[in-house]
Amino acid sequence: MQKSDGIPHFVEVNNIISSQSEDQVPAELSSWLTLVASQRDKRAFTAIFTFFAPKIKRFGIKQLNTEAMAAELVQETLSKVWNKAHLFDPSKGAATTWVYSIMRNASFDMLRKIKTKNELLLGDDIWPIETEEHSDSEVYADHLMERQMVAYVDQLPEAQQLVVKGVYFQELSQEQLAKQLDVPIGTVKSRLRLALAKLKEQVGESHD
Amino acid sequence: MIKLHPETPMLSSFVAGELPASVSVIIASHVEMCSVCQQEVERLTLQAANACFGESNVMPMAGVDSVQIDDEFGSFSLEAELDSNELSMLEAITGMAPERDTIVNTAVVEDKEIEVSGVRFTIPRALRAVEMKPFQGLGKLSRSRLSLEDGDIRTSILHIDKGGSVPTHTHKGFEITLLLQGSFEDEMGTYHAGDFIWLDGKHTHQPVTKTGCVCLTVSSNAIRFTKGVSQLLNPIGQFIY
């Protein structure tokens, strides 16, 4: 498709949409998705739909064999695009890659359902849709924190260690612990208080 | 340091969603552990998306743009491009109520840990929805089958205790082992966590572990798999039925 100067922008969009076979990806895809995410903008979604629907259908016929299944894949994929547009992060990659992942996952689960009668959805676990960098680092920090805490607990006097480990690691109640250690419940409480104060001190120190 | 990875053609089939569930799951589990393959999968996904939707020359945007779509589109009708089926589908989709609360994968993913024979290990995320049968022990071996219902292909989690070994065996079909934790040796070398080990009928091996190890295994003895790797790259339908 030729792009010439002076053509009003809407004409260009119109051309792109009417010549889908030329595989020209509209530059505005990312902005359209952003509009769907922020305002549930139906015009933007219509543009997205018009671009993707025939291509998803082609993919669906190849993967799932029938026209009807392919139409179901179009519906399934574009419904997710409509509902989950806010998960699309334009700084992390192209809109087409994002839509491809959604389509591939849906197609995989549909095919599996046909072949094995199994309803278990695996696609989004095998190929996580949104980059998990964010949650990864949180989980990682948690692990580090946990390991650090365990190290601190191990430095406590043994009597206090037993109480902390019982309550926080084995999730025993203070009553159960008192019985197990054969001490009055007041002792359990005071040991726990001392231990926590010490731990707080140490965590505070290392964070200064 | 991970030494053994799935080969690129296998990763391409993985990205295209053409592999059986069990094989997809074990590759995904490797990818979770391996930054090299994460990048490769990203590259192949971009390639597959381009092949499907056309080349995207657009640079990723830095932030949210406030595009005024009405001005851009002018007054022509986008809907004119759609047939009646597509139009009603479009209506059905945009008529849906917002479902922000049921978003896949937005909650922080919690790692699922399990314990077998006193060893704790983390289940790969790709497997978290898959039901695990109880562990069955035999000497230093414990095995749990995963309910993947993937034809003749079986997926298991195998724990071998310190000093344990698996008797010498060969495979009519194929066997993929992903070492999740610990290490083991066989006639061909020493393997470490993250290694993705592909064996077929040509190999005979006797894995031994000094430290103990946990593996995810996918294997098949089906006759139709005797062609090995090349068969695995076929689309899913051809080999399950």
Side-chain angles (χ1 to χ4, degrees), chain B residues 13-106:
Chain B
S13 300
F14 167 73
V15 162
E18 290 171 353
L19 298 175
S22 47
V23 180
S24 301
V25 154
I26 197 170
I27 293 178
S29 304
H30 169 80
V31 172
E32 283 172 29
M33 301 171 82
C34 177
S35 58
V36 175
C37 288
Q38 271 161 33
Q39 280 176 21
E40 188 68 354
V41 162
E42 221 168 274
R43 185 182 70 82
L44 292 166
T45 309
L46 179 67
Q47 221 173 63
N50 286 347
C52 199
F53 299 132
E55 199 82 31
S56 225
N57 298 318
V58 196
M59 291 300 289
M61 294 197 315
V64 175
D65 257 341
S66 52
V67 185
Q68 279 308 310
I69 202 145
D70 287 337
D71 299 346
E72 276 186 36
F73 287 146
S75 55
F76 78 91
S77 169
L78 278 167
E79 285 87 347
E81 303 295 327
L82 303 170
D83 67 30
S84 63
N85 285 342
E86 287 171 326
L87 270 178
S88 58
M89 190 188 287
L90 178 64
E91 284 305 308
I93 291 171
T94 51
M96 285 191 300
E99 49 154 315
R100 300 226 160 190
D101 296 328
T102 55
I103 298 148
V104 198
N105 284 333
T106 39

Side-chain angles (χ1 to χ4, degrees), chain B residues 5-21:
Chain B
H5 309 268
E7 290 172 12
T8 304
M10 196 185 285
L11 281 182
S12 302
S13 300
F14 167 73
V15 162
E18 290 171 353
L19 298 175

